């Protein structure tokens, strides 16, 4: 990943927060300028357009997610534990509000109105996450660590949808505990019964 300036990082971090709070159309360069403490032309210096800013943000988000999943693969060898760690990550983020919602899940709900460049990045995130989850499901089934009721791909898609839906429910109810109430039974269902 190309190293970008700290001002560009501040702009991206601000845009991420604003998107999580209000979606793609919920912020403007004027909002970012005010929060970051710079003038709008400074934002245009780093990101020529809002499309460029959000496309860069989603691309960076994807890279961070892929790096996090790769680190988990190295540090947590058991497929069932990988799924539990993934759920625990989101549960902690929602509880302490560090990342209360997946940027790509939120943007996916806006796909019909998103510029195509941004939509392509969002779809790529979903494909990447589904691919990782599918590989975890396949490995877990092969090792006897996960009990699947469908194909690994179908289980992966269902798992991803449930986790994203659990974040949405936690937000809708204003209760971080809702995430675990919804996600934990999914993990229990995938655990092998001995």
């Amino acid at each position: 990943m190309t190293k970008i300036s700290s001002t560009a990082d501040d702009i991206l971090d601000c845009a991420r927060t604003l998107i999580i709070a209000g979606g793609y159309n919920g912020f403007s360069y004027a909002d970012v300028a005010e929060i970051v403490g710079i003038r709008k032309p400074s934002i245009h210096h780093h990101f020529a357009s809002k499309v460029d800013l959000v496309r860069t943000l989603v691309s960076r988000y994807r890279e961070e997610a892929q790096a996090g999943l790769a680190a988990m693969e190295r540090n947590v060898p058991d497929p069932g534990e990988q799924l539990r760690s993934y759920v625990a990550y989101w549960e902690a983020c929602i509880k302490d509000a560090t990342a209360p919602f997946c940027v790509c899940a939120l943007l996916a709900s806006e796909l019909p109105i998103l510029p195509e460049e941004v939509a392509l990045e969002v779809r790529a995130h979903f494909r990447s996450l589904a691919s990782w989850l599918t590989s975890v499901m396949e490995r877990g089934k092969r090792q006897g660590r996960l009990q699947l009721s469908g194909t690994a791909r179908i289980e992966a898609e269902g798992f991803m949808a449930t986790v994203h839906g659990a974040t949405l429910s936690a937000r809708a109810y204003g209760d971080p505990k809702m995430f675990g109430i919804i996600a934990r039974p999914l993990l229990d269902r995938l655990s092998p019964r001995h």
Side-chain angles (χ1 to χ4, degrees), residues 77-141:
D78 179 80
E81 286 302 314
Q82 288 173 356
L83 295 179
R84 281 185 276 290
S85 293
Y86 181 77
V87 167
Y89 167 81
W90 281 111
E91 192 164 21
C93 287
I94 291 165
K95 184 177 178 184
D96 67 17
T98 52
F101 213 85
C102 170
V103 170
C104 289
L106 190 129
L107 289 172
S109 71
E110 298 182 294
L111 275 174
I113 63 162
L114 290 179
E116 188 58 25
E117 301 91 332
V118 175
L120 287 171
E121 290 290 338
V122 171
R123 287 184 185 106
H125 171 76
F126 273 79
R127 281 192 299 277
S128 176
L129 181 55
S131 177
W132 177 76
L133 286 168
T134 299
S135 72
V136 172
M137 298 289 179
E138 288 169 345
R139 217 171 32 258
K141 182 178 181 178

